[in-house]
Amino acid sequence: MSSETSSQSPVPSQPGGESRKPRVAVVFGGRSSEHGISIVTAGAVLRAIDREKYDVLPIGITHDGRWVLTADEPDRMAIAGREVPTMGQLAESTDGGVVLPIDPSNREVVYAEPGSVPKALGEVDVVFPVLHGPYGEDGTLQGLLELSGTPYVGSGVLASAVGQDKEYMKRVFTSFGLPVGPYVVVRPREWESDPAGARRRIAEFAGEHGWPLFVKPARAGSSMGITKVDSFDGLDEAIEEAQRHDPKILVEALLRGREIECGVLEFEDGPRASLPAEIPPVSDHSFYDFEAKYIDSASGIVPAPLTVEETAEVQRLAVAAFEAAACEGLVRADFFLTEDGQFVINEINTMPGFTPISMYPRMWQESGVEYAELVDRLVQAALRRPTGLR
């Protein structure tokens, strides 16, 4: 696969007719609880992107939603000890802000400080949004970029929204005949107006599927806010924890089996699946939670020890999920291989983690696509793809 090189990028022209390198704005941070992991992902992307081929503009988004200039220093964007970085450590100024254009005829980014003349930062040809979670991975940023006519890496508005909301993701997969596990949704209005009724529905669900249950935010990632509940006694506390991240809650039954992941990447001839990975049981953690993923560096097995037939089936299902949700660019699809030998899709991530230990780049590395080529392919796919209806 590494012998297939990416196609040449469309080379923009300056007013005088001279060609220039495409300019990539790497946008990261954001308002979600995955703010710190987004910064770590951005550091890895900035470290890998080919500076001879692209000009790069790092743009951070603070916890309160302000767009700021940051230093192009990826080494400062790593986990230190057990702490993830924050935008407060990286922003060049606490006063100024970056303004993206919303006029499709103008892609010039502007930096403005109170009382000062706005400073033009030049045109942006493509945005690489390495934002995880709400207000970035969920179609909101994608909608802004569509309005401005700016190409961007990854899925469009609909696929990003579907990929973020686990309830509607499962509904879409079910409608396409893909296997999903049992779940029940608790909406914020129900929990506010009739908590006893919500508890009763969950109790009935547990009576049918058994304990333990997993209580999780419907629209969050990186295992944020997830609690494994072994009895009815811990339910309210688990719901409170999940609602710190999202007022809508998903309660899922335990699926006994192996955790398998598979990457999907858009090539010139369509999406292809990587070799899959297996996430083995993690000691000292009751499940594959945030600390196991990012702090304690729990590592998956790549490639997963599956039969040829199992590998082909999970790859088929991963591409089918990519197509069902109308995804573009990339997806990581997460499955359970149940004890009876069936694959059940748990979720997809339309902007999976790109940290040095993240499974998505590791799976593609084992499949013959090195990290730098992976980043390049994603940028090239974005430059080829038009914005708007497609």
Side-chain angles (χ1 to χ4, degrees):
M1 193 173 294
S2 58
S3 62
E4 297 183 33
T5 57
S6 324
S7 62
Q8 292 296 313
S9 61
V11 180
S13 296
Q14 295 175 328
E18 298 178 4
S19 64
R20 63 174 176 83
K21 293 185 288 187
R23 199 152 192 242
V24 182
V26 179
V27 180
F28 58 97
R31 294 165 57 187
S32 82
S33 53
E34 296 175 83
H35 176 96
I37 292 304
S38 173
I39 295 174
V40 177
T41 294
V45 171
L46 289 169
R47 195 176 292 110
I49 197 165
D50 187 347
R51 303 307 178 101
E52 294 186 0
K53 190 172 183 178
Y54 304 106
D55 285 327
V56 179
L57 177 65
I59 300 176
I61 302 178
T62 64
H63 272 299
D64 59 4
R66 192 162 51 87
W67 293 51
V68 297
L69 283 181
T70 69
D72 187 1
E73 299 177 6
D75 289 343
R76 295 173 58 196
M77 301 179 184
I79 294 174
R82 303 183 70 84
E83 298 294 327
V84 293
T86 67
M87 201 59 64
Q89 301 164 346
L90 301 170
E92 290 190 344
S93 170
T94 58
D95 297 322
V98 176
V99 180
L100 264 66
I102 57 172
D103 179 356
S105 66
N106 174 23
R107 290 185 185 168
E108 190 162 74
V109 176
V110 172
Y111 177 75
E113 290 187 347
S116 300
V117 176
K119 176 185 176 182
L121 299 177
E123 292 188 354
V124 165
D125 299 295
V126 61
V127 171
F128 199 137
V130 290
L131 294 143
H132 305 308
Y135 312 110
E137 191 182 349
D138 60 350
T140 51
L141 176 62
Q142 289 74 13
L144 173 64
L145 296 172
E146 291 286 351
L147 284 173
S148 70
T150 305
Y152 55 93
V153 169
S155 290
V157 175
L158 174 64
S160 297
V162 168
Q164 187 63 42
D165 191 312
K166 295 177 177 63
E167 175 195 358
Y168 287 98
M169 180 197 308
K170 292 175 186 293
R171 290 182 182 273
V172 167
F173 290 159
T174 300
S175 72
F176 277 82
L178 297 173
V180 302
Y183 68 97
V184 63
V185 177
V186 179
R187 301 181 186 280
R189 185 179 302 171
E190 178 187 12
W191 187 248
E192 292 170 5
S193 63
D194 186 17
R199 293 187 190 97
R200 187 162 52 249
R201 285 201 305 119
I202 296 172
E204 292 170 355
F205 181 78
E208 181 179 357
H209 299 287
W211 299 93
L213 301 176
F214 288 89
V215 179
K216 59 178 64 175
R219 294 162 291 193
S222 296
S223 299
M224 293 283 193
I226 300 179
T227 305
K228 182 181 178 182
V229 181
D230 294 310
S231 70
F232 201 75
D233 292 340
L235 183 62
D236 280 24
E237 185 178 352
I239 289 176
E240 287 179 12
E241 171 59 22
Q243 286 187 327
R244 290 179 54 240
H245 303 270
D246 185 356
K248 185 166 76 166
I249 304 305
L250 205 69
V251 180
E252 294 178 337
L254 171 68
L255 291 176
R256 299 187 186 279
R258 299 160 63 187
E259 292 190 47
I260 306 295
E261 298 183 350
C262 190
V264 180
L265 178 64
E266 181 182 348
F267 285 76
E268 291 82 353
D269 59 352
R272 303 183 198 172
S274 70
L275 290 171
E278 179 169 5
I279 308 300
V282 184
S283 60
D284 301 326
H285 295 270
S286 61
F287 62 97
Y288 194 44
D289 61 6
F290 177 85
E291 289 207 349
K293 285 181 179 179
Y294 298 110
I295 304 300
D296 294 334
S297 303
S299 59
I301 302 169
V302 190
L306 301 171
T307 66
V308 172
E309 293 77 16
E310 288 169 338
T311 296
E313 177 64 3
V314 76
Q315 290 175 322
R316 181 190 72 80
L317 288 170
V319 172
F322 182 97
E323 299 280 32
C327 296
E328 294 167 297
L330 71 164
V331 148
R332 193 193 73 231
D334 300 345
F335 298 85
F336 291 102
L337 177 56
T338 61
E339 293 174 341
D340 61 358
Q342 301 299 310
F343 282 103
V344 175
I345 187 164
N346 183 37
E347 65 180 51
I348 59 171
N349 281 266
T350 56
M351 186 53 68
F354 268 75
T355 69
I357 61 171
S358 293
M359 296 310 301
Y360 185 84
R362 286 187 59 202
M363 288 187 287
W364 277 110
Q365 183 178 27
E366 288 293 325
S367 304
V369 181
E370 294 295 330
Y371 193 101
E373 182 188 350
L374 180 61
V375 170
D376 184 60
R377 282 192 172 277
L378 291 170
V379 174
Q380 291 296 322
L383 286 168
R384 287 194 304 269
R385 188 171 59 237
T387 55
L389 299 176
R390 52 190 184 272

